[in-house]
Amino acid sequence: MKDQKFNYSSLKDLRADLSEIDFKLPLTENTEILSKEIKIENSIIPNRVAIHPMEGADSNPDGTPSDLTRRRYKRFANGGAGLIWMEAIAVDDAGRANKSQLYLKEDNLAEFKDLIEFINKESRVNPYVVAQLTHSGRFGENNIIAFRDKDLDPVSIAENDFHIITDSELDQLQLNYLKAAELAAEAGFDAVDIKSCHRYLLSSLLAAFDRKGKYGGSYKNRTRFLRETIKKVKENVDIDITVRLNIYDAIPGGWATDKNGEPELGESAKLIKDLESLGAKMINVTASTPYLKPHVNRPYDKGGYKPPEHPLRGVQRLLELTKFTRDNLNQTLVLGTGFSWLRQYGANAAAGMIAAGWTDLAGFGRQAFAYPDFVNDIFEKGEMDKSKVCISCSKCAELKAAKKKAGCVIRDQEIYLPIYRELQQEKKADKLEAVSN
């Protein structure tokens, strides 16, 4: 398995490399199970394929969906997925990643209600739609952090330009999440995601071992914000609750991670069970943070960053974390992660994992940017078109990280190639300026 790039012309070729790393992934040629509906609370998800939350960084300045935002969700809706997990939606202005991130508030509720109606109108399957509620924390414009972090500080905040959020501010933030959940229900979303991943603010609290006060130190305190926010929403809002969760951080000494950065999943297993007992209806699996270790949550084989492992190892990690989550739950559904790098064989892995009980649904992120109608092709043709799949170049992630409008530079060139070229010119100019100085 020397080739770091995707180089499989058949399932047989893929199985050979899976065997080489002793990964018993249940691949299947029969993808019919992906078309089966599944019940969640009092709703029906019409099939087992989901669109992961993929930020386009293209909202209007007031947080409302722009024409480009609506274009993206029209493509997702037309594509046939049974679940659309909408990209990050800030719960307050201070928590926005940038002024192009969606932000749901009383003043723009009508625009979000219109977007949900638009999605339902454009889809043939009546998709289940999740609102991902977020506070960007250290990765937002306001550099709000839960604690100093030797690994993440250098890539997220400037010295003396940050604010360590207080316990009283966190108390108020719980109420902001509650208000956002109320608005999401009014807008017509089927569920809210109390997002706790990728070391944004809520995710970072899970790793706040050295923080003083009621939100740091013990397991009870580090999980307090997430647990109490879920309770508030459940008691006050008629909407399903979901969580996109870092199963572990892959950062030395981080959440569910040992001092060497390896998984230590005892607390993670406990939290997964606690979330189920609190009434969470679905857990969306992920890990680490793209700002420090992008290969962990987004295996890829092209781009400027060189992953320290074969991408298939990254796929293995995510799919095994998905199975781990499923094994620790009874009723709560699991949305699996890690399929896009497999290109046209992602559907075969998804179907096999569902049939084997490794997951309940399969989520695709970058794949949906590149190939928004991939679900229709799976159901109508029995397979994905290899000429349309995501090639895992991570150019979409480069755009998002640079706070540019993000989408597929390769498959959606008319919109995103000019933006990417502009970014490359800016980087070149910055490099020349640095040399001249």
Side-chain angles (χ1 to χ4, degrees):
M1 199 176 65
K2 295 179 181 178
D3 195 338
Q4 290 289 109
K5 297 181 180 180
F6 182 92
N7 190 29
Y8 306 110
S9 58
S10 68
L11 279 176
K12 181 181 178 180
D13 291 343
L14 176 56
R15 286 191 176 103
D17 270 4
L18 291 171
S19 178
E20 188 173 327
I21 62 174
D22 195 29
F23 181 29
K24 296 178 174 59
L25 177 63
L27 290 169
T28 179
E29 294 183 15
N30 183 356
T31 59
E32 185 179 350
I33 197 170
L34 296 177
S35 66
K36 305 300 182 184
E37 65 182 29
I38 187 169
K39 187 174 182 180
I40 178 169
E41 192 64 5
N42 297 317
S43 301
I44 296 292
I45 301 175
N47 59 59
R48 303 297 185 96
V49 187
I51 305 299
H52 272 318
M54 295 296 292
E55 284 194 67
D58 54 17
S59 82
N60 295 316
D62 65 350
T64 54
S66 68
D67 289 344
L68 198 52
T69 312
R70 289 171 65 87
R71 174 185 183 269
R72 178 166 58 261
Y73 285 99
K74 177 179 180 178
R75 284 156 61 90
F76 291 166
N78 291 164
L83 189 157
I84 297 176
W85 203 295
M86 193 171 287
E87 67 199 83
I89 301 171
V91 299
D92 60 23
D93 190 56
R96 293 179 80 181
N98 52 67
K99 294 304 180 185
S100 297
Q101 185 176 57
L102 293 172
Y103 170 27
L104 174 59
K105 52 188 174 180
E106 199 87 56
D107 292 347
N108 62 23
L109 174 61
E111 284 84 352
F112 280 89
K113 188 178 296 187
D114 181 66
L115 179 61
I116 297 301
E117 291 174 354
F118 178 67
I119 289 171
N120 288 327
K121 178 183 176 183
E122 291 291 332
S123 173
R124 294 179 294 174
V125 301
N126 188 28
Y128 185 89
V129 185
V130 181
Q132 183 177 73
L133 305 183
T134 193
H135 187 295
S136 295
R138 65 170 57 246
F139 300 113
E141 287 193 326
N142 292 285
N143 301 329
I144 296 171
I145 65 176
F147 57 91
R148 296 303 304 269
D149 187 301
K150 64 180 180 63
D151 293 300
L152 285 175
D153 284 359
V155 299
S156 60
I157 61 173
E159 191 63 35
N160 301 319
D161 185 19
F162 61 89
H163 169 64
I164 298 179
I165 194 167
T166 66
D167 283 3
S168 61
E169 288 171 332
L170 285 169
D171 292 342
Q172 176 58 48
L173 186 59
Q174 286 194 32
L175 300 179
N176 295 350
Y177 271 86
L178 174 59
K179 180 61 178 177
E182 292 171 345
L183 293 172
E186 195 172 344
F189 286 94
D190 298 291
V192 290
D193 165 20
I194 311 301
K195 179 183 180 182
S196 189
C197 64
H198 301 163
R199 291 301 286 268
Y200 294 107
L201 185 62
L202 272 64
S203 173
S204 70
L205 287 170
L206 298 179
F209 297 97
D210 297 325
R211 181 185 169 97
K212 305 298 182 183
K214 67 180 182 179
Y215 290 107
S218 68
Y219 169 85
K220 179 181 179 181
N221 285 352
R222 286 181 286 111
T223 62
R224 181 187 300 277
F225 189 99
L226 181 58
R227 291 183 293 102
E228 290 185 352
T229 302
I230 288 172
K231 286 180 181 178
K232 283 182 171 65
V233 174
K234 184 174 177 59
E235 290 169 0
N236 293 282
V237 188
D238 183 18
I239 195 167
D240 291 347
I241 298 169
T242 66
V243 180
R244 190 166 205 216
L245 180 69
N246 258 21
I247 306 303
Y248 85 118
D249 284 348
I251 300 170
W255 161 250
T257 308
D258 69 16
K259 63 181 181 180
N260 298 313
E262 296 301 316
E264 196 170 69
L265 302 180
E267 284 195 341
S268 191
K270 179 174 173 56
L271 180 58
I272 288 166
K273 293 180 175 72
D274 285 347
L275 293 176
E276 181 169 61
S277 68
L278 288 166
K281 301 304 177 187
M282 189 183 306
I283 293 177
N284 184 333
V285 174
T286 188
S288 198
T289 172
Y291 299 94
L292 193 64
K293 295 191 174 184
H295 64 281
V296 174
N297 70 289
R298 192 178 62 245
Y300 61 96
D301 54 27
K302 296 181 177 70
Y305 173 86
K306 302 301 181 185
E309 63 185 12
H310 193 288
L312 199 56
R313 290 285 188 185
V315 172
Q316 177 182 13
R317 180 188 297 112
L318 288 172
L319 299 185
E320 288 182 341
L321 289 174
T322 296
K323 183 179 185 298
F324 165 83
T325 306
R326 176 68 274 161
D327 289 346
N328 277 282
L329 292 167
N330 294 312
Q331 302 300 320
T332 298
L333 299 181
V334 174
L335 176 55
T337 299
F339 301 99
S340 288
W341 185 83
L342 295 171
R343 274 73 157 183
Q344 63 268 29
Y345 305 121
N348 305 102
M353 285 179 60
I354 292 169
W358 285 30
T359 190
D360 299 295
L361 301 102
F364 294 78
R366 296 168 290 167
Q367 192 67 265
F369 264 175
Y371 183 6
D373 57 342
F374 74 100
V375 184
N376 286 335
D377 279 356
I378 293 170
F379 295 161
E380 294 169 9
K381 302 175 183 178
E383 60 183 6
M384 293 164 64
D385 185 338
K386 66 181 180 180
S387 71
K388 297 163 71 176
V389 297
C390 168
I391 62 169
S392 75
C393 67
S394 275
K395 288 181 171 61
C396 59
E398 284 185 61
L399 289 172
K400 190 259 182 184
K403 300 183 179 181
K404 300 285 188 181
K405 294 177 176 62
C408 186
V409 175
I410 306 301
R411 308 294 191 199
D412 201 4
Q413 292 189 10
E414 183 179 355
I415 301 294
Y416 297 103
L417 182 56
I419 300 172
Y420 188 75
R421 285 175 171 163
E422 176 185 302
L423 174 61
Q424 296 308 108
Q425 288 298 319
E426 289 175 3
K427 287 182 176 180
K428 184 177 180 180
D430 289 343
K431 192 173 182 178
L432 287 173
E433 183 179 356
V435 170
S436 64
N437 291 335

